[in-house]
Amino acid sequence: MRAPTILRNLPLRQLQPRAPVAVAPLPEKSRFDRELTAELDTLRSEGKDGGEIGLAHLLDAAITTQKIALDSLVNISYRDYADRGDVDKYLEDNVEILDACNYFLDKIENINKYVDTLRVVVHLVDSAKPNAVATKRALELLESCQRVMKNNHGPCLKKLLRQKLCHETELSEIMCGSKAMALMCCRFLEIGLSFDSKIGLPTMKQSLPMSSSWLRLLLELAKQTEGSAAEKKLHKRRSGSSLLMTELQQTVSEARELKKQMKGKKENDVKSVVERLKKSCRGLEDGLGIVEERVKDLYKSLIDVRMTLLGILSQAYIF
């Protein structure tokens, strides 16, 4: 049996099997990549399993990231020609993030003062027979609360958040991860601790192609947390130390309602609002205490990373 004409006319070299093409192996993941990917994957799973990713959870992950960074920096190979620019940039941004941590601690202190003022209002209004003097003083304090809310402005994080996340060396990857996790926390702290529920900040972006597993997970987690926060805001659900610090928004709402009812002189409605305000103040105070401790821990861990990098630089110039 003869081969079909089309086959007989084909050059012989086209019929012979081609040699297999060599495929370059995937680059080995760094220790930092493996450990941070595992940390972020665990955090993301908590949200997908119906749990709640709150400010405290994000701060815990950021603190753990700094510890992973410190461990990874122990045996890092520093190359001045490749890494110096990235190190200088990290140290510069690190100062701004540390300043942001101090700002958030001040912000928490101001919110606690706001709560203390509301407790005085509740004490004045919650007496068996509130008199005109007590009522007038309570309304004055509620007015002062409004001024605190309007004057609560913070540092601009937009420039830092608009930076594209990328890295080329093992050292730059560690610094990128350290900074990215801290910035994600700063972004949600600014939103969560704001009296203005409509505040908006830019989201972080990566330089393509995606260079590591943890970076992909980080951006997915940011989107997941953003979506979860928006859903909670829509349905007005409450939780202990949630991302939006819903107790803050709830407390603000109850304080406004109390002011309205007091001006309307509706005694029964005032008592009902007072009880709700007491409860929301307790919840807010508890949530703030948790977040405050985490912000302090993040500050300390960022200082540790900074000092380690400065040590690496000094050793490089000694030798």
Side-chain angles (χ1 to χ4, degrees), residues 40-217:
L40 293 176
D41 196 40
T42 300
L43 185 61
R44 185 183 62 165
S45 298
E46 290 177 2
K48 284 189 173 181
D49 292 341
E52 186 177 272
I53 300 176
L55 283 175
H57 296 92
L58 290 175
L59 284 162
D60 281 339
I63 293 164
T64 300
T65 300
Q66 310 314 315
K67 293 177 181 177
I68 295 172
L70 284 171
D71 292 340
S72 300
L73 287 171
V74 173
N75 298 315
I76 199 68
S77 176
Y78 172 77
R79 296 176 296 174
D80 190 69
Y81 67 91
D83 293 318
R84 183 55 194 263
D86 289 332
V87 173
D88 288 344
K89 178 60 177 170
Y90 176 89
L91 293 174
E92 179 184 332
D93 291 343
N94 177 268
V95 171
E96 293 193 43
I97 296 172
L98 290 172
D99 286 343
C101 288
N102 283 324
Y103 155 69
F104 291 126
L105 291 174
D106 289 341
K107 195 166 190 176
I108 289 171
E109 183 179 353
N110 287 335
I111 297 174
N112 277 323
K113 289 179 180 178
Y114 170 79
V115 172
D116 290 340
T117 301
L118 290 179
R119 290 190 190 283
V120 175
V121 171
V122 166
H123 176 73
L124 291 169
V125 177
D126 202 26
S127 59
K129 292 183 179 181
N131 55 53
V133 175
T135 299
K136 181 182 178 182
R137 178 57 181 156
L139 286 171
E140 289 174 350
L141 289 172
L142 287 172
E143 286 290 345
S144 71
C145 287
Q146 292 292 113
R147 289 193 293 273
V148 169
M149 291 163 56
K150 290 179 181 178
N151 294 329
N152 196 24
H153 300 294
C156 183
L157 294 169
K158 292 182 179 180
K159 184 179 178 181
L160 283 173
L161 291 170
R162 287 196 179 105
Q163 293 183 28
K164 287 191 176 181
L165 304 176
C166 61
H167 57 81
E168 296 179 356
T169 67
E170 187 175 358
L171 177 55
S172 66
E173 177 184 27
I174 294 170
M175 294 186 293
C176 179
S178 167
K179 180 168 66 174
M181 283 299 297
L183 282 176
M184 184 172 73
C185 281
C186 286
R187 181 177 187 275
F188 287 115
L189 279 167
E190 179 69 357
I191 295 171
L193 296 175
S194 176
F195 284 105
D196 182 6
S197 60
K198 297 179 181 180
I199 186 172
L201 289 171
T203 56
M204 294 180 291
K205 293 179 172 53
Q206 83 285 352
S207 292
L208 295 175
M210 195 74 73
S211 49
S212 53
S213 302
W214 67 262
L215 186 50
R216 173 181 54 81
L217 279 173

Side-chain angles (χ1 to χ4, degrees), residues 2 13 36 110 112 114 135 173 183 192 205 213 223 229 256 273 285 287 298-299 306 317:
R2 294 189 302 171
R13 60 184 177 83
L36 183 51
N110 287 335
N112 277 323
Y114 170 79
T135 299
E173 177 184 27
L183 282 176
K205 293 179 172 53
S213 302
K223 290 179 181 177
R256 286 172 177 163
V273 177
E285 200 168 44
L298 177 60
Y299 183 94
R306 179 181 184 82
Y317 285 107

